[in-house]
Amino acid sequence: EKGGFEHFMLKEIFEQPRSISDCMRGRLDSATGRLVLGGLREYVNKLVNADRILIVACGTSWHAGLVAEYFFEEFCRIPVEVEYASEFRYRNPVVREGDVVIAISQSGETADTLAAIELAKSKGAIIFGVCNVVGSSIPRATHAGAYTHAGPEIGVASTKAFTAQLTVLNLIALIVAQKKGTITEQKFHELLVDMETIPAKVEKALKLNDQIKVIADTFKDASNFLYLGRGYNFPVALEGALKLKEISYIHAEGYPAAEMKHGPIALIDQEMPVVFIATQDSSYEKIVSNIQEVKARKGRVISVVTEGDKLIPKMSEFTIEVPAVHEALMPMVSVIPLQLLSYHIAVMRGCNVDQPRNLAKSVTVE
Ligand code: F6R
């Protein structure tokens, strides 16, 4: 059942080229410009005309929501708020007519997310669901939605569900952007073509596995980790830190790299591993300066960079090279080495990676 892998988590990490293609199958075809999500059709104009999008989710699904915020704002020009479902539901939130809610959940059973949906519904919002488990409670509570079709995720740490959520959210945003006319035909086409290259790029990133084992072995005894990114890679930093915390029990924090100087930089010393997600995008120069700031304080730099990067490897103790892709799609690729890093560290520390202490796969209690 684990398909020859030692753990479900590793199997699920390695399934991602397939789960991402499964998620796009029949929905996207760049050759014909076809882009459809059957479950959206009836309500798609609500999204096109939305004054605001509210995304509600928890944990890793909330991180997928943060990436979607950047994507929707860039290409659809709709303001987006990303909410922890548990905070949203208890704070008497403002939900207006014209607001559209997108709820993201792998299990479709998360109690806080379900309650946030019910609350928003009672205030008249239209709710879209992005879920993995077919027929679960959340898809039944929403007006419309799209499944991620990643297949069953058994490992408690979410991996393939995250990349499938990003895939579906990108598809939704591209449909909306095209209908709204907020994206040029050329950019739209480029992104469709790039989306289709993602499974092969993820496959290539998985080939880094042996190299990542060496990094894991070097840092397995660390008691803290920092993960830093900017722009589309900022939520990836949060996700990398969450993966490490939940399965290896090492304290880790994800931060937007530029926020370092507002406090966390005080943590840096020669013991502190700092993982930079620093692929070549519009914030590249800025993150190079952030790496220098960490180096100057003797932090141990591990960088995830775009293949062929000449500068950052010189500044890093370890460098992980991932294939180039449009920055808006990079999280689906740049998260892969971070999943592998947390997996190997957890295994080397003797942790139960598939069933970490204190955690359950579906959080059906608040
Ligand atoms: C992290 C993880 C959790 C879930 C969260 C939401 O690896 O698994 O943080 O992402 O409990 O779960 P779903 O997506 O099922 O609503």
Side-chain angles (χ1 to χ4, degrees):
E1 48 174 13
K2 291 185 197 140
F5 288 94
E6 205 184 324
H7 297 97
F8 283 110
M9 183 181 176
L10 193 61
K11 168 175 176 266
E12 288 160 5
I13 291 173
F14 273 83
E15 267 170 10
Q16 289 175 104
R18 206 189 64 219
S19 54
I20 296 169
S21 352
D22 287 349
C23 181
M24 292 191 287
R25 179 162 310 114
R27 293 170 161 178
L28 177 151
D29 178 24
S30 68
T32 57
R34 175 187 154 89
L35 180 57
V36 284
L37 280 171
L40 233 65
R41 216 170 283 138
E42 209 185 323
Y43 286 97
V44 73
N45 284 331
K46 295 278 182 199
L47 263 171
V48 172
N49 299 317
D51 295 323
R52 188 169 70 137
I53 296 173
L54 291 165
I55 296 182
V56 295
C58 304
T60 289
S61 298
W62 184 79
H63 296 155
L66 284 182
V67 177
E69 172 178 24
Y70 285 69
F71 202 102
F72 271 94
E73 292 206 343
E74 178 168 5
F75 298 109
C76 308
R77 310 304 302 153
I78 302 172
V80 179
E81 310 277 355
V82 189
E83 305 275 359
Y84 283 119
S86 55
E87 287 298 317
F88 179 82
R89 65 179 287 201
Y90 287 119
R91 71 146 198 271
N92 193 11
V94 178
V95 181
R96 290 172 293 228
E97 221 181 299
D99 286 344
V100 169
V101 172
I102 301 179
I104 309 170
S105 175
Q106 187 286 127
S107 62
E109 299 296 347
T110 301
D112 281 323
T113 308
L114 196 54
I117 291 169
E118 295 302 346
L119 175 67
K121 246 203 315 198
S122 73
K123 292 175 184 276
I126 294 291
I127 325 281
F128 286 85
V130 174
C131 296
N132 194 43
V133 178
V134 176
S136 55
S137 303
I138 292 174
R140 283 187 276 121
T142 52
H143 295 97
Y147 283 111
T148 43
H149 297 308
E153 191 179 64
I154 313 287
V156 162
S158 190
T159 54
K160 65 175 178 169
F162 176 70
T163 48
Q165 287 166 344
L166 295 180
T167 306
V168 167
L169 290 161
N170 291 348
L171 298 182
I172 297 175
L174 286 169
I175 291 173
V176 172
Q178 192 189 33
K179 283 198 190 289
K180 274 191 82 144
T182 45
I183 191 169
T184 62
E185 270 310 307
Q186 190 194 336
K187 174 95 322 178
F188 178 79
H189 184 72
E190 267 171 37
L191 285 167
L192 291 198
V193 170
D194 269 16
M195 284 291 286
E196 284 175 335
T197 68
I198 296 292
K201 288 176 179 168
V202 168
E203 189 80 61
K204 209 164 172 207
L206 290 167
K207 299 222 157 45
L208 300 163
N209 195 33
D210 286 338
Q211 193 192 329
I212 290 169
K213 266 191 215 170
V214 176
I215 304 176
D217 192 49
T218 308
F219 293 103
K220 61 179 186 303
D221 299 318
S223 11
N224 295 286
F225 257 81
L226 273 174
Y227 286 76
L228 302 175
R230 303 179 71 120
Y232 283 96
N233 279 326
F234 155 54
V236 176
L238 297 182
E239 176 59 7
L242 176 61
K243 288 289 88 94
L244 189 70
K245 279 183 270 212
E246 65 184 333
I247 61 168
S248 75
Y249 319 140
I250 295 176
H251 168 245
E253 284 195 51
Y255 244 85
E259 274 293 306
M260 283 294 289
K261 59 176 84 58
H262 301 289
I265 200 159
L267 294 166
I268 308 269
D269 61 15
Q270 64 286 353
E271 309 270 290
M272 180 66 94
V274 185
V275 180
F276 278 95
I277 305 99
T279 49
Q280 264 155 14
D281 57 23
S282 45
S283 38
Y284 180 76
E285 318 270 301
K286 298 277 176 198
I287 204 156
V288 166
S289 316
N290 299 135
I291 298 175
Q292 272 154 351
E293 290 156 14
V294 168
K295 288 274 300 170
R297 286 153 186 93
K298 309 227 171 2
R300 300 185 67 179
V301 175
I302 305 153
S303 303
V304 177
V305 303
T306 306
E307 259 169 18
D309 190 307
K310 294 279 178 285
L311 179 60
I312 296 180
K314 290 196 199 118
M315 306 163 65
S316 310
E317 185 173 343
F318 290 97
T319 309
I320 300 164
E321 291 193 39
V322 296
V325 69
H326 188 288
E327 65 175 350
L329 310 183
M330 185 50 97
M332 292 182 275
V333 180
S334 57
V335 76
I336 305 293
L338 307 187
Q339 295 171 343
L340 288 169
L341 182 64
S342 63
Y343 171 79
H344 289 300
I345 290 179
V347 170
M348 288 171 188
R349 288 168 70 98
C351 299
N352 184 348
V353 281
D354 282 337
Q355 284 183 300
R357 67 186 185 200
N358 310 340
L359 293 174
K361 185 66 186 160
S362 307
V363 185
T364 53
V365 291
E366 66 164 292

